[in-house]
Amino acid sequence: MINKQRILIVDDDENIAELISLYMTKECYETKIAPDGETAIKMVSEFKPDLILLDIMLPGIDGYGVCREIRATMSVPIIMLSAKGEVFDKVLGLELGADDYMEKPFDTKELVARVKAVLRRCKTNVGNVQDEKDVKEVSYPDLKINLTNYAVEYMGDLIDMPPKELELLYFLAASPNHVFTREQLLDQIWGYEYIGDTRTVDVHIKRIREKINDHSRWKIATIWGIGYKFEVK
């Protein structure tokens, strides 16, 4: 029996939640619905979702609070859903740890595409035996980034890092001293299915820097007016 990937839908609008669940079920995902923030937080540990679709406007604890609470303990991918389309709201969601952001009303086909894209990037094939040549890993003094099992080791400690941050860090570190524009990074990490602005990249770089400090041998350098590079000395 094939284990279905699990999606937790957090939305107090019953009609929208049921519609999303219907489309996800058609795509062979297992779904559960949480009508409010407190219920969502409880269900995360019980249901163990592979991805969370999280509405921002919720009764009680709002989506931002739920995202903050979840990110304190785990790195499960989160796509925020909201009628708020202001740049501030998008940036705040990303800063709190969301992997993607969609405005309501949204096209269900685009939502399904976004879900598939995020899950595809986060797939780790846990439990499968892999040859050494299949392991995607880059190493520098005091830093090891493994894209195969989505693990980052810094100064001897494992760092909890959401998928998008890890993928961005790995991509930069895999091409040392190569300058990438924000547009190139958006395309490489978020893919053609993602429609966003370049501030998304800036937010994720900021979050990575909060977890990993510049090293005497390497650092994430900002190339003003262009983008970023992983600078190795």
Side-chain angles (χ1 to χ4, degrees), residues 162-175:
K164 285 288 195 313
E165 292 177 29
L166 189 147
E167 290 164 14
L168 179 56
L169 177 60
Y170 177 87
F171 182 77
L172 288 169
S175 300

Side-chain angles (χ1 to χ4, degrees), residues 36-37 53 61 64 81-82 85 90 110 126 137 180 194:
D36 56 69
L53 294 173
I61 305 175
Y64 295 130
L81 309 173
S82 178
K90 294 180 181 179
E110 182 185 353
V126 176
E137 182 179 278
F180 294 97
Y194 182 79

Side-chain angles (χ1 to χ4, degrees), residues 16-73:
I16 292 178
E18 291 291 348
L19 179 64
I20 294 174
S21 179
L22 175 64
Y23 273 86
M24 295 302 156
T25 301
K26 284 183 178 180
E27 296 294 330
C28 296
Y29 296 115
E30 181 182 349
T31 66
K32 282 190 180 298
I33 296 172
D36 56 69
E38 289 185 12
T39 303
I41 293 171
K42 292 177 182 176
M43 289 180 69
V44 165
S45 58
E46 299 169 0
F47 184 48
K48 293 181 171 43
D50 296 289
L51 183 141
I52 300 173
L53 294 173
L54 177 62
D55 185 35
I56 291 179
M57 302 300 289
L58 296 169
I61 305 175
D62 65 11
Y64 295 130
V66 173
C67 185
R68 187 183 295 109
E69 188 78 18
I70 292 172
R71 276 289 169 266
T73 58

Side-chain angles (χ1 to χ4, degrees), residues 55-111:
D55 185 35
I56 291 179
M57 302 300 289
L58 296 169
I61 305 175
D62 65 11
Y64 295 130
V66 173
C67 185
R68 187 183 295 109
E69 188 78 18
I70 292 172
R71 276 289 169 266
T73 58
M74 61 187 70
S75 58
V76 56
I78 297 173
I79 299 178
M80 280 192 160
L81 309 173
S82 178
K84 292 184 174 183
E86 297 297 325
V87 172
F88 169 80
D89 298 304
K90 294 180 181 179
V91 171
L92 179 57
L94 293 170
E95 285 184 334
L96 290 174
D99 295 276
D100 205 345
Y101 187 109
M102 285 194 70
E103 293 179 33
K104 291 182 177 179
F106 49 77
D107 182 87
T108 50
K109 290 182 180 179
E110 182 185 353
L111 178 61

